[in-house]
Amino acid sequence: MNCVRFIFVLSCLWLGDSFASDPDDPLLLVELPQGKLRGRDNGNYYSYESVPYAESPTGELRFEAPKAYKQKWSETYDATQPPVVCLQWDQFTQGDNKLAGEEDCLTVSIYRPKNSSRSSFPVVAHIHGGAFMFGAASQNGHENVMREGKFILVKISYRLGPLGFASTGDSDLPGNYGLKDQRLALQWIKQNIASFGGEPENILLIGHSAGGASVHLQLLREDFAQLAKAAISFSGNALDPWVVQGGARGRAFELGRIVGCGLAADSAVLKKCLKSKTASELVTAVRNFLIFSYVPFAPFSPVIEPSDAQDAFLTQDPREVIESGKFGQVPWAVTYVTEDGGYNAALLLEDWNKSGKTVLEELNDRWFDWAPYLLFYRDSKKTIKEMDDYSRKIRQDYVGNQRFSTGNYWELQQLFTDILFKNSTQDSLDLHRKYGKSPAYAFVYDNPADRGIAQVLTSRRDVNFGTVHGDDYFLIFENVVRDPQLRPDEEIISRNFINMLADFSLSENGILKYGECVFEDNVGSEKFNLLSIDREGCENKKFVEFP
Ligand SMILES: *[C@@H]1O[C@H](CO)[C@@H](O)[C@H](O)[C@H]1NC(C)=O
Ligand SMILES: *[C@@H]1O[C@H](CO)[C@@H](O)[C@H](O)[C@H]1NC(C)=O
Ligand SMILES: *[C@@H]1O[C@H](CO)[C@@H](O)[C@H](O)[C@H]1NC(C)=O
């Protein structure tokens, strides 16, 4: 034993930073019902990337619920290629052409630590964010997580934008394909993860932003407990106004008009025509749904499907689902950061139409036109008057009679945070505490990154954005939209979060801990129990209303 260890140390010294990958290492080969696949040895972890869980959602399978992958491999499948980006109109691709990715993209990617103190690992399944429009598994780095060596990570790729969410609101084109993909991927993980050393009884599902909202929507399925034992929604939940939206039918027909289907007579005709177009045409059409910059940021998103739709994922308003008590009874945590909406408000500081004015200045004249798109009530108000009254009220409530300027940007950013993230977090938690039976936890994070998503979007360092969307999550999963350099306090927080995930996925009794703090359950509680996490540490607090 000692001898083996000695040789190992020697070979490490010998090779310096690089390492010898043993091609005969049995852990590189995994046997699945489809056949064998070969992963990669990355030194301190193994990876098995781009493993298909569904048939290619192309041709006749476009705009359909995913079909489980049934092909047999005659040769060893090469699982060393990083997951492709699902075809998208990407907010973070510079320039006018924002098209990126491929239509054939339904895979999971699995990362397994090398940790001799365990022969099997709990599993964290990950749904990436990106407004249901963009983002990718590959943009959520796993080096921090693998360094800690505590769990197997599985990243899920799912259809986005029009390909994932176009809907006519009837059974011809019901929508929610991206959510159906996620669910099929979760079923795949449950069935197959043991072959990779994962513990199928210890699966935690997590996601950020649209990924967090997806996690919540998955949990609202009554049989969710069969797929995972716990879940966390970081800065995104099913009640956020940009998640389940109305008006999808109009947008689906508009999409048809843009790509040359004319005025389709009905949904079946429209669907047939949309299937005949190239995927790039359909996704490029997203640019026509943006009124400027990337506004509204989620023109295609989840919908409520008619109850007669085949393979329907969601047929009731999420609020009603929670009130019915018929959802997955597993421990769930929902979170926000103090200025989440900085991600969305930051673009107001951009130049407006190369005019030398900021969008913010222009907003003074266009508030009634733009606010319903910026804040997602365009399709939820019944009349124009109702919409205008609401626009007037929220402006008055947050900035009073002042004109918009960098001087009151902060107040406007608070409006974005409240509407897009925070108030719906409180609503969700409130409903879960009244109607849920399993623990509902919450935390708020306040510790600004030095260079987070708002600074990256605006290239401005002179504005105080506070703690913005992703300032917590990107400490766990490295992301290009924030500075990779972590401060010493962030290193500690990163490790605490990773331990939190590992412990939650293993917990027998649904207990959730961060550092020394044990989360308090909200179910049945009179006040909101919120764990406050910042640079100094953590503290349990109670509130009647979110701070
Ligand atoms: C390995 O797993 C054990 C048990 O979960 C854990 O305590 C340890 O931190 C892990 N990491 C490494 C690098 O050994
Ligand atoms: C943006 O600027 C161009 C050129 O100055 C102008 O033609 C166009 O109408 C402007 N767009 C809007 C939406 O005001
Ligand atoms: C958000 O919630 C707070 C506290 O309940 C409330 O004062 C505020 O008006 C809400 N904001 C909006 C835009 O609904």
Side-chain angles (χ1 to χ4, degrees), residues 184-198:
L184 183 60
L186 288 173
Q187 289 166 341
W188 186 97
I189 294 167
K190 185 81 182 177
Q191 280 162 17
N192 293 292
I193 202 62
S195 307
F196 297 85

Side-chain angles (χ1 to χ4, degrees), residues 291 352-353 366:
I291 57 169
W352 160 243
N353 201 11
R366 301 198 191 231

